[in-house]
Amino acid sequence: MKASRLSAGYGRRVVVSSVELELQPGELTVVVGPNASGKTTLLKTLAAILKPVAGAVYLSGEDLSCISSRRRARMVAAVLTGRPDVGGMTVEEVVAMGRYPWTGPAHILGPRDRKAVEEAMEKTAVSHLRERRVSELSDGQFQRVVMARALAQQPQALILDEPTTHLDSRSRLEVFTLLRRLAHVDGLTVVASTHELELAFRFADKLVLVADGDVVVADDPEAMALDRRFLHAFGLDEKLRLSPATLSVEFTSDAEMNQGPSVFVIAGAGTGAPVYRALTKQGYRINTGVLHENDIDYHVASSLGLNVVAEKPFQPIGAETFQRAVNAFDVSDAVVYTCPPIGGLNVRNLELLRKSLGKGLPTYILSTTGATYFEGVETVHSVRMLLEKLPTAQEKKMKTV
Amino acid sequence: MLFVSFLSSVLVGSVRLPTEHVLMHLFGLNRDSALLGAVVDLRVVRTAAAVLTGVSLGVAGAMLQSLFRNPLADPFILGISSGSSLAIAITLVLGLGLGFVQTYDPYALYTAGALGAAATSLLVVFFSTFAKTSVGLVLAGVMLGYLNAGITTLIITLSEVETVRAFSFWTLGTFSAAKWSVVEPVLPLMLAGLAVAFLLGKPLNGLAFGDEAASSMGVWVRGSRVATVAAASSVVAAATVVAGPIGFIGLAAPHVARLAARTVDNRFIIPLSGLTGGTLAVLADITARSIMPPLDLPSTAITSIFGAPLILVLLLRSGRTV
């Protein structure tokens, strides 16, 4: 499937312009973009439901806007959003509607048609629902039925607009797994749009960004994670952060919201992450350290936008770094020690704990295993308990007054 | 069911006739008495007219409900029937006044009726793009119906006594005036409309998925819509020429058909709705002339009395979704 100098829109109004796309059979292309960016318009134009404002869409060398709707429907099938009012039909009847471009005026199914319907229902795992009325289906089941209907058209290209909206995470995964199979195993050209960036990165062979009337194509989806236009379109350069390593999105805490007491968290190896998130939610300002730059806690803390005292990977904590952590104590109202595993490289974190006790700061040890590490220091056993002990924003205000 | 009601319709009437004589005459076994023959022939024509009207309205109702994706669509409610009678009234008044047409020229009346129906249908289609809810569409239709009826009344009131008498046959909505001379000419047009209607089952099934999804399945959306409006207008006009605007058969028949057949497949529902409509029309006609014999009530009164509550029930049931 190929789009050249394609402008998509309604009537004269152009929504996305000068699109150059080349999609191969056996490839799953995922279209991402913020709301109202023109994803749907682009997909409908690719499916030849909308006429291109300019340019053309070719499939197997044929201009889709120049062939009969019947022939077109044998070549490209579309799954659109919304739940049409066909509640009275059975699943099998709906899937059989996919044979529309193949049957005669009375829509009587021949043996080939029946076979296509059966195969489509098998691929989407809806065979057992065949007698059910569409109105009784869950959203996930309905989506699979509509996909079966599209497959019954036996198209070369399958175009889906937001096939995972309103679905729970398991159904979302099922839909994308199915799409990947249709592309890789059955050799279809599959194009789907979605809001779920994480799904898009994980499943796309090719990633297409639609934003501000422009279309950006990335043959390597991972490259998109570094693209400035992409980050800007999704606001990933502001309050949201996308980590290129794990391709997951974290929210940066809002500076205005986090005016609460300042807490220093001594963490490492993932023991800090739940504490960071819980404290951020409650509006605490957080300093944390000493973390190594290859530590998962470092990763979480920096995507949350916390102040991190960090040491270079695989280096013992140096004196200068240690001093920076101690200095941070001066602006902290409390210290939390999350019992990280201690080894040769981060042994000075223990020293840091002793320093805070020496300074007389309120210090808490979070030990989720239940063991008591240090006599004489208050030990809590869950993040919830910790939150009860820490000074609240109100208490802090009273003190300053 | 249709056959049984057809027979009973011929058997029942204000002149009591022995059943076996009527049956024998019908099947050509014993054609003796002139009086008997005359009465029976009259009833056969009348019943045939009722069947044709009912079938037309049933088929048109099924098509319109599917096209508008609205369980309340019906040629009468959407004002299509009254559009047809308005056009007939105009033709009668102008035609008679200017001497273009004869009083009972069914061809001219049919053409006018079909144009009136089509014009109203197109207006309803136009409104339905704004009024997206069931209630909105029905309101638009009812208002169009009132408008048509108002203009019709105005025209009739202002015209001569002769014309008024000629027109009164249609506005009453009764099969009592049916004559072969009226039924025969519109028959081919009605049949053509029905033939097109049966072919529209497949595209209408596709359109149920929404215009864009239908288009992606290979439905020629605009063509199917135009054909549906044309076929519905054609049969509604035929029904209106024969019997005047008859309400609610077009509404009830598709629902009865869907309930009975337990499917929403238009390939079956459209013909079934036609059969149901025919049966309902004959039953209404029998009722109309049996309640207070020899008084002949307008059938539309009967269908309205039974049909109006049906609409209320449908509205209440769909109240949450419209």
Side-chain angles (χ1 to χ4, degrees), chain A residues 55-67:
Chain A
V57 181
Y58 300 94
L59 184 59
S60 307
E62 287 194 84
D63 184 341
L64 285 182
S65 59
C66 291
I67 59 176

Side-chain angles (χ1 to χ4, degrees), chain B residues 264-304:
Chain B
V264 290
D265 189 336
N266 286 305
R267 290 175 298 146
F268 302 117
I269 291 305
I270 291 176
L272 266 182
S273 173
L275 291 182
T276 315
T279 313
L280 286 178
V282 174
L283 290 179
D285 186 42
I286 297 174
T287 317
R289 55 196 156 111
S290 318
I291 291 183
M292 292 178 265
L295 210 63
D296 211 343
L297 298 169
S299 301
T300 196
I302 305 298
T303 55
S304 302

Side-chain angles (χ1 to χ4, degrees), chain A residues 211-223:
Chain A
D212 303 325
D214 273 329
V215 171
V216 182
V217 184
D219 289 319
D220 174 16
E222 305 256 332

Side-chain angles (χ1 to χ4, degrees), chain A residues 129-304:
Chain A
L129 301 170
R130 66 176 70 221
E131 303 289 329
R132 290 268 203 97
R133 299 225 174 237
V134 170
S135 52
E136 299 163 6
L137 301 180
S138 73
D139 284 335
Q141 289 170 329
F142 181 77
Q143 193 62 37
R144 295 212 306 271
V145 169
V146 184
M147 285 167 67
R149 194 222 72 218
L151 288 179
Q153 282 173 240
Q154 295 184 318
Q156 301 164 28
L158 180 63
I159 291 171
L160 308 98
D161 188 15
E162 305 266 359
T164 54
T165 334
H166 303 311
L167 301 190
D168 54 33
S169 10
R170 187 177 143 184
S171 312
R172 282 202 288 254
L173 195 66
E174 280 172 0
V175 165
F176 266 94
T177 312
L178 173 63
L179 292 182
R180 176 152 71 189
R181 201 162 57 232
L182 290 173
H184 294 184
V185 179
D186 299 309
L188 291 172
T189 308
V190 183
V191 187
S193 66
T194 183
H195 280 300
E196 326 276 334
L197 291 181
E198 305 189 6
L199 275 177
F201 278 118
R202 278 166 183 73
F203 281 91
D205 297 319
K206 191 177 266 180
L207 201 58
V208 174
L209 168 72
V210 182
D212 303 325
D214 273 329
V215 171
V216 182
V217 184
D219 289 319
D220 174 16
E222 305 256 332
M224 189 68 99
L226 303 170
D227 193 303
R228 195 170 285 279
R229 288 167 297 186
F230 169 78
L231 295 174
H232 182 69
F234 283 96
L236 293 171
D237 46 0
E238 293 161 27
K239 300 240 163 99
L240 296 171
R241 296 256 170 97
L242 177 78
S243 145
T246 63
L247 293 178
S248 59
V249 177
E250 284 280 0
F251 304 90
T252 309
S253 55
D254 199 325
E256 281 171 31
M257 291 293 292
N258 286 41
Q259 296 284 3
S262 181
V263 177
F264 194 97
V265 183
I266 305 171
T271 57
V275 178
Y276 301 149
R277 281 192 284 263
L279 294 187
T280 305
K281 247 186 240 169
Q282 298 301 324
Y284 288 95
R285 280 173 295 157
I286 304 167
N287 295 295
T288 183
V290 175
L291 300 175
H292 285 92
E293 282 169 14
N294 57 343
D295 195 297
I296 183 70
D297 275 342
Y298 174 82
H299 183 80
V300 175
S302 40
S303 36
L304 283 169

Side-chain angles (χ1 to χ4, degrees), chain B residues 28-108:
Chain B
L29 296 172
N30 181 12
R31 298 173 172 273
D32 51 358
S33 158
L35 172 72
L36 182 85
V39 172
V40 170
D41 278 349
L42 207 64
R43 286 190 197 159
V44 169
V45 173
R46 181 183 178 142
T47 310
V51 169
L52 290 175
T53 312
V55 169
S56 302
L57 292 176
V59 166
M63 283 194 289
L64 292 172
Q65 287 182 9
S66 182
L67 181 70
F68 288 112
R69 292 174 212 131
N70 187 333
L72 294 174
D74 155 273
F76 189 71
I77 294 178
L78 295 184
I80 298 173
S81 295
S82 59
S84 194
S85 22
L86 170 62
I88 289 173
I90 293 174
T91 317
L92 272 176
V93 172
L94 289 182
L96 281 181
L98 302 174
F100 285 150
V101 285
Q102 301 286 306
T103 319
Y104 296 121
D105 183 351
Y107 294 105

Side-chain angles (χ1 to χ4, degrees), chain A residues 24 33 72 82 146 173 187 216 223 235 237 268 279 293 318 345 382 388 397 400:
Chain A
Q24 305 299 332
R72 196 193 66 219
V146 184
L173 195 66
V216 182
D237 46 0
L279 294 187
E293 282 169 14
L345 297 178
S382 70
E388 282 166 16
K397 249 182 220 160
T400 47

